[in-house]
């Protein structure tokens, strides 16, 4: 208890309001993040290299109480490896959210979702979306524009501070006791002369005669020209949130319910002076899967101004039916990094890419001996996509190997890294896109701990590209901490490599035994 109090005092001292320093101990009721591993390979100064994405390497936060006003503000600080741009929008709905989009950046391995006490924020989720990161902050109640601020800060080599994205959120005032206001204003009158009415909504399905692709078109008539913006939200369920600026829905506008193939339902909500149109989706969308357009009026054709949303039906994930055992299973192994990307580098300059390839080759031999069919994303020290690839190109090339071959499972093999060299252990990550992802991760984690005997850092959910974009159960394993001198020696050791390889194979056996019971 004394240690926690000391950490609290130190954290609040370090997080000076002007200096944006780290606070790694809970001061708001959220789970402390001090024991989570952090990636140590991120750049802390300078321009990003050509064609490479920035990394969100570390997240920290603290609360501040204004001595004069008594207002509590939460500050969330995200360290990034190079300069980025950030945009934000407040989303109304059953759970109000602040959605932050950080362009050209992906979350690092150690970035995990946060849970808070709900006074200022309920939770924060970090989600890779194409080449960007979505930071979704669940709120206790809707924010006004003056209740939060998003800033990007430069690096400071002298103070050893990296580039940062900072979010400040004021604790909202308690709601006044008053009659409940309906979630949807049904009014045909304008609150002032500048309010634009969203007067009518219509929709239709369309099937492309050439490709056979189904799509849904939603057309919203508006009384004057408008601007519209959109954002994809992945948690707690996939949603497309459209904000039509300066509009109010008319009396005829009703919520819609669909068959769930493309959209499950559409809700129209008033948010300040705007209309929020929330599409509940059966699956996550990519940016290429939908399009939002604003169209001019056409007096000759008697068409008003319009906002049009086109959504393609996503390709459904296959139905999985597993049998026990490894025989005839198609397994894709992904040795992390390679070629121009060494991955993390240990104290004695041992490369992560070298350890991951050695273990993957061992796993391949053991699996094939058991009758499995094995495909490796790389079999030697090379880039999978090719030279001069962007981070997303390289990661997509790895998932494409598994998706094109319709693998049964995908396992990406890595070594972890942290600034504190004393930190060690084994961990596994999954993205729950199928019924089986967490089961696979837990099976691998249990078997690797039994085989290697290192600290158990558990199976954890994460938004890593390769486990999210594969169309089968997938897991990313972190064998050990290459930043830890003792564990770096183990990773170099053929004996330890073989132990962990056997652990992975035993974990796959465990998984197929358990998954077969769900058929």
């Amino acid at each position: 208890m004394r240690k926690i109090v000391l950490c609290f005092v130190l954290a609040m001292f370090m997080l000076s309001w002007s200096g944006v320093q780290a606070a790694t101990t809970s001061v708001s009721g959220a789970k402390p993040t001090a024991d989570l591993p952090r990636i140590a390979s991120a750049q802390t100064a300078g321009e990003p290299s050509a064609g490479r994405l920035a990394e969100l390497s570390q997240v920290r936060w603290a609360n501040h109480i204004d001595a004069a006003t008594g207002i509590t503000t939460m500050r969330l600080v995200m360290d990034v490896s190079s300069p980025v741009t950030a945009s934000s929008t407040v989303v109304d709905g059953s759970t109000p959210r602040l959605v932050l989009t950080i362009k050209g950046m992906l979350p690092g391995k150690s970035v995990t979702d946060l849970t808070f006490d709900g006074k200022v924020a309920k939770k924060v989720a970090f989600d890779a979306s194409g080449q960007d990161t979505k930071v979704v902050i669940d709120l206790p109640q809707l924010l006004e524009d003056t209740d939060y601020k998003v800033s990007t800060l430069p690096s400071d080599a002298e103070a050893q501070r990296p580039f940062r994205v900072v979010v400040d959120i004021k604790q909202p005032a308690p709601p006044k006791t008053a009659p409940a206001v309906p979630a949807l204003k049904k009014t045909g009158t304008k609150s002032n002369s500048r309010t634009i009415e969203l007067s009518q909504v219509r929709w239709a399905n369309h099937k492309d005669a050439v490709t056979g692709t189904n799509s849904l078109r939603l057309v919203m008539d508006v009384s004057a020209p408008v601007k519209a913006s959109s954002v994809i939200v992945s948690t707690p369920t996939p949603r497309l949130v459209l904000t039509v600026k300066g509009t109010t829905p008319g009396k005829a506008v009703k919520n819609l319910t669909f068959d769930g193939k493309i959209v499950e339902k559409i809700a129209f909500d008033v948010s300040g002076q705007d209309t929020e149109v929330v599409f509940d989706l059966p699956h996550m969308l990519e940016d290429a899967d939908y399009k939002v357009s604003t169209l001019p009026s056409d007096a000759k054709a008697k068409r008003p101004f319009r906002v049009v949303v086109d959504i393609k039906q996503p390709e459904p994930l296959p139905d999985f039916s597993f049998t026990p055992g490894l025989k005839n299973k198609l397994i894709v192994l992904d040795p992390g990094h390679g070629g121009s990307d060494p991955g993390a580098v240990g104290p004695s300059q041992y490369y992560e890419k070298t350890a991951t390839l050695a273990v993957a080759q061992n796993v391949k031999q053991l699996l094939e001996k058991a009758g499995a069919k094995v495909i490796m994303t790389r079999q030697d020290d090379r880039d999978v996509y090719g030279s001069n690839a962007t981070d997303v190109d390289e990661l997509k090339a790895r998932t494409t190997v598994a998706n094109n071959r319709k693998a049964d499972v995908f396992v990406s093999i890595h070594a972890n890294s942290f600034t504190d060299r004393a930190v060690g252990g084994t961990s596994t990550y999954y993205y729950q896109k199928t019924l089986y992802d967490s089961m696979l991760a837990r099976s691998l984690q249990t078997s690797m701990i039994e085989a290697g005997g290192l600290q158990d850092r558990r199976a954890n959910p994460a938004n890593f590209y390769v486990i999210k974009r594969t169309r089968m159960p997938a897991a990313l394993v972190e064998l050990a901490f290459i930043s830890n001198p003792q564990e770096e020696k183990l990773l170099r050791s053929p004996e330890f490599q073989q132990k962990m390889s056997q652990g992975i194979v035993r974990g796959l056996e465990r998984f197929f035994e358990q998954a077969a019971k769900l058929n």
Side-chain angles (χ1 to χ4, degrees), residues 226-240:
V226 295
K227 292 183 179 179
S229 61
S230 61
V231 62
I232 292 287
V233 178
S234 65
T235 56
T237 58
R239 290 178 176 181
L240 169 63

Side-chain angles (χ1 to χ4, degrees), residues 325-334 359-376 409-411 413 444 498 501-510 512:
L326 295 171
K327 189 174 182 179
N328 296 325
K329 299 298 192 301
L330 179 56
I331 298 168
V332 170
L333 300 176
D334 174 40
V359 170
Q361 288 170 334
N362 288 345
V363 174
K364 180 177 185 290
Q365 291 177 2
L366 293 170
L367 288 173
E368 288 178 338
K369 189 174 180 180
K373 300 174 184 177
V374 180
I375 299 170
M376 292 177 61
V409 297
F410 173 92
V411 180
I413 301 173
L444 289 167
Q498 186 66 15
S501 301
Q502 291 169 340
I504 291 171
V505 172
R506 176 58 188 138
L508 289 168
E509 286 179 329
R510 263 195 170 111
F512 287 118

